[in-house]
């Protein structure tokens, strides 16, 4: 029986909410996708706390849970690793979210209902509960993408997206190497440029109650500059990449 849906998420130092997050998303698979063959893939990105230990301890409770441990490589690297695992197991659809408990699983249905209309669908944090500095950087990046690519995407890096597995495989094959700092931005740009209808569906974004943001202020500014340079370089290859997606 083929896998209908794989939910993938990176995890880093989320010991306070990891068990709850796994339960919440596992319950979604059991209720909303009852009777379907589904998986929840969590990539532990070299957590320094008990996140990895907690995942190993609770795994026997959740038959659909796949735990992957990797050395710390950053959020983007963990996301790509999770994507590749979902493609490897043959998931028909792949949904990506984060493990920080800032989204509500019920919103997945808003994207799922559009799955026959597009191979790539994004959520959009209409009300976003993040620090002001982070919101400011996000706006700069949004308009930078528009200037560089002529592509306006409301929330290009959002960790709340539904992708058809066969299309995701093609996207991963065209992703620059080494993995960019923010691969979800590159994937969103390629999807949009290839003609996919992203929809930008408004979803709930909750305030973060546990853990801590791993990238702050000046470091965030630094990595955004790095991402912008990566995007500039990628512009030269984009047309060739897009042709291979069709």
């Amino acid at each position: 029986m083929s896998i209908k849906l794989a939910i993938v998420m990176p995890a880093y130092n989320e010991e306070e909410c990891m068990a709850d997050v796994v339960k919440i998303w596992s319950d979604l698979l059991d209720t909303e996708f009852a009777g379907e063959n589904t998986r929840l893939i969590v990539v532990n990105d070299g957590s320094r706390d008990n996140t990895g230990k907690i995942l190993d301890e609770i795994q026997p409770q959740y038959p659909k849970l796949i735990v992957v441990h990797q050395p710390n490589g950053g959020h983007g690297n963990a996301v790509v690793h999770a994507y590749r695992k979902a493609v490897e197991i043959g998931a028909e659809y792949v949904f990506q979210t984060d493990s920080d408990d800032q989204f509500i699983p019920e919103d997945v249905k808003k994207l799922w209902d559009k799955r026959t209309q597009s191979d790539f669908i994004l959520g959009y944090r209409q009300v976003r509960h993040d620090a002001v500095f982070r919101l400011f950087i996000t706006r700069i990046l949004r308009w930078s993408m528009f200037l560089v690519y002529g592509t306006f995407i409301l929330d290009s890096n959002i960790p709340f997206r539904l992708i058809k597995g066969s299309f995701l495989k093609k996207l991963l094959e065209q992703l620059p190497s080494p993995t960019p700092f923010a691969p979800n931005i590159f994937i969103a740009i390629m999807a949009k440029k290839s003609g996919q209808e992203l929809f930008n569906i408004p979803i709930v974004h909750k305030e973060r109650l546990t853990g801590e943001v791993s990238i702050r202020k000046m470091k965030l500014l630094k990595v955004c500059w790095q991402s912008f340079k990566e995007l500039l370089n990628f512009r030269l290859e984009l047309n060739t990449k897009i042709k291979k997606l069709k």
Side-chain angles (χ1 to χ4, degrees):
M1 185 177 178
S2 62
I3 295 172
K4 188 70 174 180
L5 172 67
I7 295 176
V8 302
M9 65 173 68
Y12 178 71
N13 289 354
E14 297 289 359
E15 64 179 7
E16 294 178 70
C17 68
M18 196 71 255
D20 290 337
V21 168
V22 167
K23 183 181 187 308
I24 288 169
W25 289 95
S26 294
D27 286 349
L28 174 82
L29 292 177
D30 290 340
T31 55
E32 296 297 326
F33 298 90
E36 298 284 4
N37 192 14
T38 56
R39 295 290 185 275
L40 172 61
I41 302 171
V42 182
V43 175
N44 171 37
D45 185 36
S47 296
R48 294 176 295 174
D49 64 3
N50 290 317
T51 297
K53 181 181 178 182
I54 290 169
L55 285 167
D56 288 340
E57 287 176 348
I58 66 175
Q59 188 172 22
Q61 303 173 35
Y62 301 99
K64 296 179 180 180
L65 174 62
I66 298 173
V67 177
V68 180
H69 298 286
Q70 69 170 34
N72 181 250
H75 180 275
N77 182 278
V79 168
V80 171
H81 194 170
Y83 282 152
R84 294 193 191 284
K85 184 65 177 178
V87 168
E88 176 189 316
I89 64 176
E92 185 178 352
Y93 290 95
V94 180
F95 176 81
Q96 190 251 318
T97 188
D98 272 352
S99 57
D100 52 14
D101 197 24
Q102 286 192 271
F103 297 101
I104 61 172
E106 292 78 10
D107 277 345
V108 173
K109 193 173 186 301
K110 296 178 182 178
L111 280 65
W112 185 254
D113 288 346
K114 299 279 190 183
R115 69 188 183 281
T116 60
Q117 300 175 51
S118 178
D119 292 343
F120 188 98
I121 304 169
L122 287 182
Y124 164 55
R125 292 167 282 196
Q126 194 170 22
V127 178
R128 185 171 173 181
H129 293 280
D130 281 324
V132 173
F133 186 75
R134 183 176 286 266
L135 297 177
F136 175 68
I137 293 295
T138 298
R139 289 191 179 94
I140 292 176
L141 185 59
R142 182 187 300 161
W143 285 104
S144 296
M145 285 171 48
F146 179 71
L147 292 173
V148 173
Y149 291 99
T151 299
F152 191 79
I153 303 175
L154 288 172
D155 206 346
S156 62
N157 200 33
I158 187 171
F160 203 93
R161 53 186 60 203
L162 180 68
I163 314 171
K164 192 170 183 178
S166 56
F167 187 58
L168 176 59
K169 182 179 180 181
K170 293 179 182 179
L171 288 167
L172 292 173
E173 288 170 351
Q174 301 310 316
L175 196 64
S177 182
T179 301
F181 175 79
N184 267 343
I185 295 177
F186 287 77
I187 288 173
I189 289 172
M190 287 192 287
K192 178 71 172 178
K193 285 292 189 179
S194 69
Q196 296 298 320
E197 174 58 69
L198 308 189
F199 288 109
N200 297 301
I201 298 170
I203 52 102
V204 175
H205 187 240
K206 301 187 297 181
E207 190 172 351
R208 187 182 181 104
L209 299 177
T210 61
E212 61 180 35
V213 177
S214 58
I215 302 176
R216 297 176 180 274
K217 295 190 177 178
M218 294 312 295
K219 185 178 179 183
L220 178 61
L221 191 61
K222 181 179 178 181
V223 298
C224 282
W225 175 243
Q226 175 188 336
S227 294
F228 181 67
K229 290 191 293 183
E230 290 175 343
L231 285 167
L232 279 176
N233 293 332
F234 186 62
R235 181 173 58 89
L236 302 175
E237 311 171 54
L238 184 61
N239 288 339
T240 301
K241 303 280 191 183
I242 296 305
K243 289 178 183 177
K244 294 179 180 180
L245 294 176
K246 297 180 178 179

